[in-house]
Amino acid sequence: MTQTSAPPIGVPAKSPLGPVALTTLLFGAFLPMLSFFIINVALPAIGTDLQATPGELQLVVGSYGIANATLLVVGGRLGDGFGRKRLFMVGLIGFTVTSLLCAIAPTIGVLLAARVLQGATAAAMTPQVLASISSLLTGEHRARALAMFGVVGGAAAALGQILGGVLVEADVFGLGWRAVFLVNVPVGLFAVVAAVKLLPETRADKAQRVDVVGAALLALTLVLLLLPLTEGRPLGWPLWTWLSLAAVVPALALLGLHQHRAEKAQRAPLIPPTVLRLKAMRIGLLLAMAFFTTFGGFMFVFALATQGEAGMSPLEGGLSLLPMAVGFLITSVYGPRLQARYGAGLIVRDWLIQAIGYAVLAVVALALWPDVTPWTLAVPMLIAGFGSGLVMVPLMGVVIGQVPPAQAGLGSGILLTSQQTCLALGAATVGTAYLSLSGTSWGQGGALAAVALAITAISLLMTPVTRQLQ
């Protein structure tokens, strides 16, 4: 059953991944993203139950993102060498088990440790999704699957907070917030059975050794950056946070030097400089950084704001994101055909649509706060969701399309590392800015509006950058 990673020439008459197999594979993208965002709406309940500080609650989000981002490229490399189905199965089983550990955590410390393990297992699973799509599919099948991958991530983000609100509000069997982790268990078990029966095995023709030193330097850089940004504000910015941030630059320079030397010596660097020198890859990663940082930050602060001064229940806060999920659903239907028609130009248009959505949200927040409801937020959230979905869909294809199929795991690892790093960075930086502003005369409504306007400005700034892809 083992196939090489080189796809057949032309569009195959029948896709090697049938609908059920592709759906099973996409669970590897859906579950980790769902787990990243479903927790947002449950944070107030976790804080109350486990007596967690605001900084610890930020770490519930950030620790998962740091562990995941650190190991994604390693996961992609291991899949290329040892088999993508094999690594997918290892990651999926581990993710299911660690989700259960999160659900039964008796203290905030145990929960944080389980979240680190959960992020690590997700890093073994998720890169195999894009890598398998790239190595097994070509032509229209591949384009549609990549579009679905992008939409699945966005839909998981919006649906995660809706589902989280439903589960926390329903308090099934008195589980409260623990249900947001337990929901992964039956889905994970189903996906494991389906994967064993349906997924074909693929691997790179020539296995490459994992760059352990590069992985360690990447982990060090991310921890030095994200940990002080997450913990600095609640701790009053002690000296170690500034020293840690200052150390990011030399750590990053050391990582770059090591990658350059490894490639020059014809070893396999974790992130090959030649891949990053591709123009479309550089631009695509810049756009991905802008998008995922702002998106991750917004989803974090939106949950805090709606359940704060706005006085919404977890269910109402989650339902406020339903229009955004609808926007992603529309994207999944029409996105691939729009992408085929407009190409990279589609991303330019959709940055503008996203900017309009967040600008209208800022106006609504300033005009109606704290008397906002899911209904009054519906129009801006729908517009923002539609624009966001159509930014993500072509971005995935642009970046992963620059990497040869034999290195599909590497390309997906680089893209997903950028994604997860920026989601965690967004929760840390945007969350810190929001929490700082909300404690002033701005209040939570003014702070939410400021975040929305900042995303509007960034969206507009990305339009001339996107035009360079054309």
Side-chain angles (χ1 to χ4, degrees):
M1 288 185 63
T2 301
Q3 303 177 17
T4 63
S5 58
I9 298 174
V11 180
K14 182 179 180 182
S15 170
L17 289 173
V20 179
L22 180 58
T23 300
T24 301
L25 192 61
L26 289 173
F27 271 122
F30 181 80
L31 287 175
M33 287 291 285
L34 181 77
S35 190
F36 186 93
F37 286 102
I38 197 174
I39 197 68
N40 286 337
V41 75
L43 288 176
I46 292 173
T48 300
D49 187 31
L50 300 184
Q51 299 179 340
T53 66
E56 288 171 331
L57 292 180
Q58 279 187 290
L59 273 180
V60 172
V61 179
S63 60
Y64 175 91
I66 292 171
N68 193 231
T70 298
L71 296 172
L72 275 166
V73 177
V74 175
R77 284 286 197 196
L78 291 174
D80 287 343
F82 293 101
R84 290 155 188 154
K85 176 180 178 178
R86 181 177 299 176
L87 261 292
F88 181 85
M89 296 291 300
V90 169
L92 182 57
I93 294 170
F95 186 85
T96 304
V97 172
T98 53
S99 294
L100 179 61
L101 293 178
C102 289
I104 62 176
T107 66
I108 188 64
V110 174
L111 177 59
L112 290 175
R115 284 287 279 174
V116 170
L117 293 174
Q118 190 184 36
T121 57
M125 171 174 58
T126 311
Q128 318 318 324
V129 181
L130 275 177
S132 296
I133 288 172
S134 296
S135 62
L136 287 168
L137 303 179
T138 59
E140 182 182 351
H141 292 308
R142 184 183 183 191
R144 183 169 295 276
L146 286 173
M148 290 176 66
F149 178 91
V151 172
V152 159
L159 290 173
Q161 300 202 171
I162 297 170
L163 179 60
V166 171
L167 292 173
V168 173
E169 187 83 3
D171 194 21
V172 180
F173 302 120
L175 291 170
W177 61 267
R178 299 178 189 276
V180 304
F181 293 109
L182 284 175
V183 72
N184 292 330
V185 176
V187 178
L189 292 175
F190 168 80
V192 167
V193 174
V196 169
K197 295 183 177 181
L198 298 174
L199 294 185
E201 181 65 279
T202 65
R203 57 171 55 88
D205 294 329
K206 183 180 179 181
Q208 295 178 319
R209 296 178 63 183
V210 174
D211 181 7
V212 177
V213 175
L217 289 172
L218 176 62
L220 175 64
T221 303
L222 292 178
V223 171
L224 288 173
L225 174 65
L226 296 176
L227 187 60
L229 289 176
T230 301
E231 292 296 285
R233 190 201 64 84
L235 294 178
W237 297 104
L239 178 61
W240 73 263
T241 60
W242 297 108
L243 294 175
S244 179
L245 289 172
V248 170
V249 174
L252 188 60
L254 189 59
L255 172 62
L257 178 63
H258 172 75
Q259 298 301 282
H260 176 74
R261 287 181 173 176
E263 188 170 61
K264 191 174 181 179
Q266 297 185 336
R267 298 194 301 270
L270 191 71
I271 306 173
T274 52
V275 174
L276 296 182
R277 282 196 287 269
L278 294 168
K279 180 181 177 182
M281 174 67 82
R282 292 198 312 272
I283 296 173
L285 288 175
L286 175 60
L287 296 175
M289 288 173 62
F291 177 82
F292 288 112
T293 300
T294 54
F295 185 73
F298 173 76
M299 298 298 276
F300 177 77
V301 305
F302 186 81
L304 296 181
T306 52
Q307 293 185 59
E309 290 177 354
M312 294 187 191
S313 67
L315 177 59
E316 290 172 325
L319 288 176
S320 297
L321 287 166
L322 181 59
M324 179 172 276
V326 171
F328 283 120
L329 178 62
I330 295 172
T331 300
S332 68
V333 176
Y334 296 103
R337 109 182 35 161
L338 290 173
Q339 182 181 353
R341 180 175 180 181
Y342 296 106
L346 178 64
I347 310 177
V348 176
R349 295 170 173 84
D350 296 315
W351 279 117
L352 296 175
I353 294 173
Q354 176 176 281
I356 293 171
Y358 282 110
V360 175
L361 175 63
V363 172
V364 170
L366 290 173
L368 301 180
W369 199 266
D371 300 317
V372 293
T373 67
W375 288 107
T376 57
L377 295 172
V379 171
M381 296 302 287
L382 177 64
I383 298 172
F386 184 70
S388 298
L390 287 177
V391 168
M392 275 195 296
V393 168
L395 263 182
M396 297 296 179
V398 166
V399 178
I400 196 65
Q402 301 302 308
V403 182
Q407 292 182 302
L410 168 64
S412 62
I414 292 174
L415 173 60
L416 294 170
T417 296
S418 173
Q419 180 192 70
Q420 289 299 321
T421 299
C422 292
L423 288 173
L425 183 63
T429 56
V430 179
T432 295
Y434 167 83
L435 291 170
S436 299
L437 282 175
S438 64
T440 67
S441 58
W442 286 62
Q444 293 181 3
L448 179 63
V451 168
L453 289 175
I455 297 175
T456 300
I458 291 172
S459 301
L460 294 175
L461 287 172
M462 288 300 105
T463 55
V465 178
T466 306
R467 286 193 179 96
Q468 296 181 47
L469 290 173
Q470 298 174 309

